Amino acid sequence: MEYRNLGASGLKVPVLSFGTGTFGGQGPLFSAWGRSGTDEARRLVDICLDAGVNLFDSADVYSNGASEEILGAAIKGRRDKVLISTKMSLPMGDGPLDAGSSRQRLLASVDAALGRLGTDHIDLLQLHAFDAFTPIEEVLSTLDMLVRAGKLRYVGVSNFAGWQLMKSLAIADRHGWPRYVAHQVYYSLLGRDYEWELMPLARDQGVGALVWSPLGWGRLTGKIRRGQPLPQGSRLHATAQFGPPVDDARLYAVVLLDAIAVEAARTVPQVAIAWLLSRPTVSSVIIGARDEAQLRDNLGAVGWSLSADQIKRLDEVSGVMPPYPYYPYRVQEGFARLNPPLV
């Protein structure tokens, strides 16, 4: 297993981390993702640790806290061998204090997460969404309190726009509060919007990408074919409406993955993940698995590399023209000379 620094921090993380959205299986979305109980979760954690994957990502909204509880039980007795990442800010109820990143909510939510996880600290806490109703100063000063109290080691965000992240970093610098070192983002061969603004920002500011849904919300499994219905066992039947949209023409164009998988003697998911690991600013790709077979297949994405030609072909077939103000820097030589794209 390869390890990379998480952004500009000193924290070393594995290039593959494990997402625990499949633990618990409560509600229409998470029950379709997976329903791993404690025994199965413990087995998946065993496999991860044997492979060098020691970062486990969760969130309070995953199965209404059940994911964190099961993860806590699965790592019991070996807390010193793992890194725990979790997220909060999304609604956990209908009350006025059940959502957001206010001081009241963060203090209560961190204590609740620590209780569910059975630990005294969280290695990486990420805000699951930007809270436009709470001043950024209040959010960051609260995170500073929690870091000083020893309850958090590092802080990050997820699903932020560029201006939201940059403003937060500037305010943190102004006051000497902890900087966000991670941004958990959607990025895949079917969704490359991250490259337009967030990737250059991450490179400039030292923010590492933790990639969620590297298989395009379950579309890059190698089982979806043009002119054929979705496989009966695909979770897309129940979850497609919750995830990032993908038009069919683009999806089927990226089926070039099949040919490259044959060339590399790898599976389609392994190729899709390996492509992400070659991209700038990516610190770790979060893999999920409903069972041991899926996990072992995803783990096969490391220990080898795509050729430069294979990467180029995947880039070309998956690329889309970005919107203004980004497209001039891609298509006009004068703009590109002043600010060339990172990829």
Side-chain angles (χ1 to χ4, degrees):
M1 183 60 57
E2 177 190 351
Y3 297 86
R4 298 176 180 175
N5 283 73
L6 182 58
S9 79
L11 182 64
K12 296 282 188 180
V13 296
V15 294
L16 297 182
S17 45
F18 186 81
T20 64
T22 56
F23 290 3
Q26 298 182 16
L29 174 60
F30 298 108
S31 62
W33 275 9
R35 303 184 181 187
S36 296
T38 301
D39 290 341
E40 184 175 17
R42 188 176 291 112
R43 174 59 180 156
L44 294 176
V45 170
D46 289 343
I47 295 169
C48 284
L49 292 178
D50 286 344
V53 174
N54 65 342
L55 174 59
F56 297 89
D57 181 71
S58 190
D60 55 5
V61 295
Y62 291 176
S63 293
N64 198 32
S67 170
E68 290 177 328
E69 291 178 353
I70 292 172
L71 174 60
I75 64 171
K76 188 175 182 179
R78 45 187 174 177
R79 176 65 180 92
D80 60 331
K81 300 182 184 300
V82 305
L83 298 171
I84 295 176
S85 163
T86 195
K87 302 178 290 295
M88 55 190 58
S89 291
L90 289 176
M92 289 285 285
D94 298 326
L97 301 180
D98 293 333
S101 305
S102 68
R103 177 169 290 120
Q104 175 77 17
R105 176 90 196 293
L106 286 177
L107 293 176
S109 295
V110 167
D111 284 344
L114 290 172
R116 289 189 293 266
L117 290 163
T119 185
D120 63 353
H121 72 279
I122 295 166
D123 298 290
L124 173 65
L125 178 74
Q126 297 154 101
L127 304 182
H128 215 156
F130 182 73
D131 178 3
F133 297 98
T134 300
I136 294 175
E137 289 82 357
E138 179 178 334
V139 176
L140 291 172
S141 62
T142 304
L143 294 175
D144 180 61
M145 292 168 52
L146 290 164
V147 170
R148 291 176 182 275
K151 296 182 179 182
L152 309 179
R153 297 291 189 261
Y154 295 90
V155 293
V157 297
S158 182
N159 308 312
F160 272 38
W163 74 266
Q164 296 163 348
L165 177 54
M166 189 64 244
K167 185 174 181 179
S168 299
L169 292 171
I171 292 174
D173 287 344
R174 184 184 311 149
H175 294 278
W177 293 328
R179 298 182 101 246
Y180 296 136
V181 298
H183 192 185
Q184 192 167 140
V185 298
Y186 171 58
Y187 187 26
S188 78
L189 281 163
L190 292 175
R192 295 178 58 179
D193 298 0
Y194 170 70
E195 297 172 358
W196 300 347
E197 179 170 292
L198 294 173
M199 179 184 283
L201 189 161
R203 169 67 69 84
D204 180 71
Q205 293 294 311
V207 180
L210 297 177
V211 176
W212 62 263
S213 206
L215 302 183
W217 203 253
R219 293 178 174 91
L220 298 179
T221 60
K223 300 177 182 178
I224 296 177
R225 295 289 184 271
R226 187 190 303 274
Q228 297 181 16
L230 282 176
Q232 189 171 359
S234 173
R235 62 181 173 88
L236 286 167
H237 291 288
T239 65
Q241 71 271 27
F242 298 112
V246 176
D247 64 89
D248 286 346
R250 189 160 180 228
L251 171 61
Y252 297 130
V254 178
V255 171
L256 169 69
L257 278 165
D258 288 344
I260 291 180
V262 171
E263 293 173 13
R266 299 287 172 172
T267 66
V268 167
Q270 289 170 354
V271 171
I273 294 170
W275 177 84
L276 284 166
L277 292 176
S278 73
R279 314 309 278 178
T281 75
V282 171
S283 293
S284 186
V285 174
I286 302 171
I287 58 174
R290 285 184 285 186
D291 54 43
E292 181 176 334
Q294 285 186 344
L295 175 56
R296 291 192 183 279
D297 184 70
N298 288 339
L299 290 172
V302 298
W304 62 282
S305 299
L306 292 164
S307 70
D309 175 69
Q310 290 168 337
I311 291 174
K312 179 182 178 182
R313 288 154 60 196
L314 288 170
D315 288 350
E316 291 174 347
V317 77
S318 65
V320 296
M321 185 59 67
Y324 177 83
Y326 311 106
Y327 78 81
Y329 297 92
R330 299 290 179 94
V331 302
Q332 297 183 31
E333 181 180 356
F335 282 82
R337 283 179 61 189
L338 294 172
N339 189 8
L342 293 181
V343 294

